Amino acid sequence: MEKYTTEVFRQARISRDPRFDGKVFIAVKTTKIFCRTICPAKLPLEKNVTYYLSKEEALSAGYRPCFRCKPEFSPILTSFLVTLYLRNKL
């Protein structure tokens, strides 16, 4: 896997970049919920966010999956969503 920085993850979260769907998960400390980068929920403050590279890491840290974006299913949809995103961008 490529090396990413927290700043790259932050930009992916803010822009809801589908290219990072399944590569990084966003955990919100105040709600104990983790999401995908494409989650339509209101963006949390950066100080309340922790980034995980797998859903298993987020689960073992005590976070539960978001009901809106369903991060437990992200690997199945990732390639489809990236293709859809790129088609709409061109």
Side-chain angles (χ1 to χ4, degrees):
M1 183 170 174
E2 295 178 41
K3 298 279 185 183
Y4 295 109
T5 64
T6 302
E7 181 59 26
V8 172
F9 292 152
R10 188 181 74 76
Q11 287 299 325
R13 176 178 71 87
I14 291 170
S15 66
R16 293 186 166 92
D17 192 336
R19 294 174 294 175
F20 286 85
D21 189 21
K23 292 184 180 180
V24 65
F25 295 89
I26 301 145
V28 183
K29 298 172 190 172
T30 54
T31 60
K32 298 300 281 180
I33 293 172
F34 75 98
C35 298
R36 297 158 66 176
T37 56
I38 61 168
C39 188
K42 181 182 173 190
L43 292 174
L45 296 174
E46 185 65 26
K47 69 179 184 178
N48 296 328
V49 170
T50 303
Y51 299 100
Y52 291 100
L53 296 178
S54 73
K55 59 187 166 201
E56 291 79 16
E57 287 180 60
L59 287 167
S60 65
Y63 293 93
R64 73 161 179 84
C66 173
F67 291 137
R68 291 184 75 181
C69 66
K70 303 196 182 311
E72 65 272 28
F73 301 117
S74 63
I76 297 168
L77 300 176
T78 300
S79 61
F80 169 74
L81 291 172
V82 169
T83 302
L84 187 63
Y85 175 79
L86 293 175
R87 282 185 187 160
N88 291 331
K89 285 290 195 179
L90 299 176

